[in-house]
């Protein structure tokens, strides 16, 4: 949905600029990987709600985006959750 403006280039097999590739990655992470957060604060120390706009802002910070992607790729996190869920059944 959010990558609609890049579809023509992708379908035409045209090269995306590094900036366009980054924008697609941020949009994809915001829509499908980063579901929620807690203990995230704005520059004034106030809690930052997990809205789509705030996800896009936060994911523009390379260290934050790398941490989100690292968690998403860590199968052990999901396996631990599956074991806990199985134990409750």
């Amino acid at each position: 949905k959010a990558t609609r403006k890049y579809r023509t280039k992708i379908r035409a097999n045209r090269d995306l600029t590094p900036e366009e590739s980054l924008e697609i990655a941020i949009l994809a992470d915001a829509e499908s990987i980063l579901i929620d957060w807690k203990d995230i604060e704005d520059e004034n120390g106030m809690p930052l709600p997990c809205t789509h706009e705030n996800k896009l802002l936060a994911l523009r910070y390379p260290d934050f985006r790398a941490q989100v992607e690292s968690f998403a790729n860590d199968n052990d996190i999901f396996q631990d959750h599956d074991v806990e869920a199985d134990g409750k059944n």
Side-chain angles (χ1 to χ4, degrees):
K1 178 166 55 170
T3 59
R4 196 170 297 155
K5 68 181 182 179
Y6 301 108
R7 284 188 190 154
T8 303
K9 275 187 140 180
I10 293 168
R11 286 185 182 147
N13 222 8
R14 287 194 228 144
D15 291 334
L16 296 170
T17 66
E19 293 79 15
E20 290 170 328
S21 294
L22 176 60
E23 185 66 21
I24 290 170
I26 288 171
L27 291 167
D29 287 354
E31 290 183 3
S32 59
I33 294 175
L34 184 55
I35 305 301
D36 198 6
W37 64 45
K38 61 181 178 179
D39 301 326
I40 301 290
E41 298 175 346
D42 67 13
E43 60 275 356
N44 299 315
M46 301 299 296
L48 189 66
C50 187
T51 64
H52 183 72
E53 291 290 319
N54 287 341
K55 288 186 218 181
L56 294 176
L57 290 172
L59 288 164
R60 295 198 187 289
Y61 290 92
D63 290 342
F64 182 79
R65 189 174 60 261
Q67 187 174 20
V68 168
E69 291 173 354
S70 175
F71 284 138
N73 290 316
D74 186 348
N75 289 332
D76 291 337
I77 291 172
F78 299 106
Q79 289 173 347
D80 290 345
H81 180 71
D82 290 343
V83 169
E84 288 176 18
D86 289 344
K88 292 179 182 178
N89 290 333

